[in-house]
Amino acid sequence: MCGICGCSSDDHGHVHGHDHKHDHAHDHPQDHAGGHSHDPSRARVLKVERDLLESNDRIALQNRALFRSRDVLALNLVSSPGAGKTSLLVRTLQQLQGRCPLAVIEGDQATDNDAARVRETGVAALQVNTGKGCHLDARMVARSFGPLPLPAGGVLFIENVGNLVCPAGFDLGEAHKVVLASVTEGEDKPLKYPNMFAASDLLLVSKVDLLPHLRFDVNALIANAHRVNPAIEIIQVSAETGAGLDEWLAWIERERLSLRRALIASATSADLAAARSSQFPPARV
């Protein structure tokens, strides 16, 4: 069990789709020991946590390979509770429908409210309830992805449990972590939770329609995010008004095309290598 967040490896994640099944949860990445400890019981706890992390990473590698082989762009949406992930996701799905195949894995400790909201758009969604757990893990994603009807060339959105701590250390096999920070939170969010912002490739500053009613310095938030992660991309969005949505959709499309090019290049290289290793010369085209 993690001494910080309380996640237990004995918890079960409940996957809600057309049928219900139990998913063993919670490999935990964090080494919470401070300094050197000679407590044998503490050493055993640290070893278990390291073993669980290694297991999670192995499954995440398998997930990533599967997503890439199927030309699926997997995005891990992370934020603190109430930052507007689901509202933005629903608006995004409404705009993307008809452009490419879509599917969603929803993570929450309880209820299937968010998955129900997603299904109202017509997009397939599976709800994973983590119970005491505060994050999704690679095994949960692997077991949830199988039943989803997502053809090649699609986008898989993984909406993680609202938490800016543990999900930062858990690789799910996604192509990118996308972190949301709303203007109703503090400008110092990236400094308070640096691991999450350092692990993310894109920051969506959400609820910008509320800026006229708040004393919030967007430039300070952006500066703090770049202080933690100079390479992070930033888009300001509003699910309410649609502000920034075109830029966000363009980012998704860019990443889809990048994945497709990488897949084609990889297949070409593999074909050439196989041809060189064979007893016959490659055919001329």
Side-chain angles (χ1 to χ4, degrees):
M1 176 180 289
C2 168
I4 296 297
C5 74
C7 290
S8 169
S9 59
D10 294 329
D11 289 337
H12 289 74
H14 302 280
V15 181
H16 300 281
H18 294 294
D19 40 14
H20 299 268
K21 59 185 178 181
H22 297 289
D23 191 354
H24 292 286
H26 296 68
D27 308 330
H28 218 290
Q30 307 213 14
D31 183 338
H32 302 301
H36 297 283
S37 171
H38 300 289
D39 182 353
S41 63
R42 182 59 179 160
R44 286 193 295 272
V45 169
L46 294 177
K47 183 181 185 302
V48 169
E49 290 183 356
R50 291 191 186 100
D51 290 345
L52 290 172
L53 175 58
E54 290 174 0
S55 173
N56 182 84
D57 287 348
R58 284 194 298 271
I59 299 170
L61 285 173
Q62 294 169 3
N63 288 348
R64 182 168 289 108
L66 177 62
F67 297 150
R68 288 177 176 173
S69 70
R70 296 192 180 180
D71 192 20
V72 167
L73 176 67
L75 302 177
N76 183 4
L77 306 182
V78 292
S79 78
S80 56
K85 289 194 305 299
T86 307
S87 295
L88 181 64
L89 176 57
V90 166
R91 185 74 184 260
T92 300
L93 295 172
Q94 291 169 340
Q95 295 294 315
L96 280 178
Q97 284 195 79
R99 301 191 194 184
C100 63
L102 303 166
V104 175
I105 295 173
E106 280 286 348
D108 276 306
Q109 288 189 315
T111 84
D112 65 346
N113 295 345
D114 288 350
R117 288 178 63 186
V118 167
R119 292 186 196 115
E120 288 176 358
T121 69
V123 174
L126 280 178
Q127 180 77 50
V128 180
N129 291 144
T130 61
K132 295 178 182 179
C134 60
H135 57 83
L136 295 175
D137 63 29
R139 187 183 302 276
M140 293 175 182
V141 170
R143 293 186 175 182
S144 301
F145 181 65
L148 285 172
L150 185 61
V155 180
L156 173 66
F157 293 95
I158 304 168
E159 184 177 352
N160 219 316
V161 180
N163 180 6
L164 285 176
V165 183
C166 293
F170 264 79
D171 184 4
L172 305 180
E174 72 273 14
H176 303 284
K177 280 187 176 67
V178 178
V179 60
L180 276 74
S182 74
V183 299
T184 56
E185 303 173 71
E187 297 95 338
D188 60 350
K189 211 75 172 184
L191 305 182
K192 288 184 174 181
Y193 302 94
N195 290 342
M196 179 60 79
F197 288 83
S200 299
D201 295 312
L202 176 67
L203 163 61
L204 296 175
V205 183
S206 61
K207 303 186 181 182
V208 294
D209 56 289
L210 297 178
L211 280 173
H213 311 288
L214 302 171
R215 295 160 70 174
F216 183 89
D217 188 343
V218 173
N219 291 330
L221 173 68
I222 293 172
N224 287 333
H226 280 146
R227 179 177 168 186
V228 171
N229 181 355
I232 196 169
E233 297 184 67
I234 300 173
I235 302 174
Q236 300 181 40
V237 296
S238 167
E240 184 68 23
T241 66
L245 203 62
D246 287 344
E247 189 177 355
W248 161 228
L249 297 179
W251 185 91
I252 294 173
E253 183 61 20
R254 186 193 78 191
E255 295 306 317
R256 283 186 63 230
L257 291 175
S258 177
L259 177 64
R260 176 69 56 84
R261 293 190 193 101
L263 183 63
I264 293 172
S266 174
T268 301
S269 298
D271 291 342
L272 288 174
R276 292 192 188 99
S277 66
S278 71
Q279 57 180 319
F280 302 104
R284 295 183 181 276
V285 294

